[in-house]
């Protein structure tokens, strides 16, 4: 974290605590009220002069937002507190419905593969045909 960002976060934290302290201590004098107004105006001016008009965020708030929280205990407490059992009649109905729907879809049915019988590989021509062709072609 850069020093400027840390300084800005501390300024914002101090500014957020300052109004609470001012409310708890009543200041009767007019001069102290003027000082408080000037401080508020200076703080507002600092916020206005930020980069691209963006209001800087508190470093503490950013840390708390990004902090990793462990929700295990809360989740376990919730899960153990909400135990509900299903009535037997309802569970039987659900089982019946699931049983009816099982196997009706095309994706649930296995594809029946038919095995093709391989024929014995052989030629259509006989040995005599080959000899006849050889005599006609080669002339021997």
């Amino acid at each position: 974290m850069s020093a400027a960002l840390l300084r800005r976060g501390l300024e914002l934290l101090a500014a957020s605590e300052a109004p609470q302290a001012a409310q708890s201590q009543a200041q009767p004098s007019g001069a102290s009220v003027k000082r408080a107004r000037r401080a508020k105006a200076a703080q507002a001016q600092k916020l206005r002069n930020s980069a691209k008009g963006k209001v800087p965020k508190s470093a503490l708030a950013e840390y708390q937002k990004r902090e990793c929280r462990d929700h295990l205990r809360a989740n376990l407490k919730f899960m153990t507190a909400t135990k509900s059992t299903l009535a037997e009649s309802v569970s039987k109905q659900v089982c019946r419905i699931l049983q009816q729907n099982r196997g009706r879809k095309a994706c649930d049915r296995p594809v029946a593969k038919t095995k093709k019988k391989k024929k014995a590989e052989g030629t259509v021509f006989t040995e005599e045909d080959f000899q006849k062709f050889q005599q006609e072609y080669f002339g021997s």
Side-chain angles (χ1 to χ4, degrees):
M1 199 183 291
S2 68
L5 187 62
L6 187 61
R7 197 176 312 114
R8 181 66 64 136
L10 290 173
E11 286 174 6
L12 289 172
L13 187 62
S16 66
E17 290 179 1
Q20 293 172 356
Q23 289 173 358
S24 64
Q25 299 172 355
Q27 298 175 349
S29 68
S32 61
V33 173
K34 286 183 182 179
R35 265 189 246 125
R37 284 185 189 158
R38 277 191 203 141
K40 273 188 180 178
Q43 181 66 24
Q45 184 66 27
K46 282 182 183 178
L47 292 177
R48 249 185 262 124
N49 290 339
S50 64
K52 296 184 180 180
K54 293 182 181 177
V55 177
K57 297 177 183 173
S58 168
L60 184 62
E62 285 292 314
Y63 171 74
Q64 288 173 347
K65 185 172 81 173
R66 296 178 198 277
E67 182 183 25
C68 184
R69 293 186 182 95
D70 187 22
H71 300 289
L72 178 66
R73 288 189 189 277
N75 290 343
L76 286 175
K77 186 177 179 183
F78 174 76
M79 290 169 71
T80 55
T82 57
K83 285 186 178 178
S84 63
T85 56
L86 220 56
E88 184 140 348
S89 61
V90 175
S91 66
K92 284 183 181 179
Q93 285 177 344
V94 170
C95 286
R96 218 175 303 131
I97 291 170
L98 289 174
Q99 212 170 22
Q100 283 177 346
N101 288 335
R102 192 172 296 130
R104 295 186 65 177
K105 298 177 194 165
C107 63
D108 293 337
R109 295 180 185 163
V111 179
K113 294 182 180 178
T114 57
K115 294 182 180 179
K116 295 181 181 177
K117 294 181 180 178
K118 291 185 179 180
K119 294 182 180 179
E121 291 185 20
T123 61
V124 181
F125 302 103
T126 61
E127 189 65 33
E128 294 172 357
D129 293 333
F130 284 116
Q131 287 177 359
K132 186 178 177 184
F133 173 76
Q134 188 177 10
Q135 286 178 358
E136 287 176 1
Y137 190 73
F138 295 112
S140 52

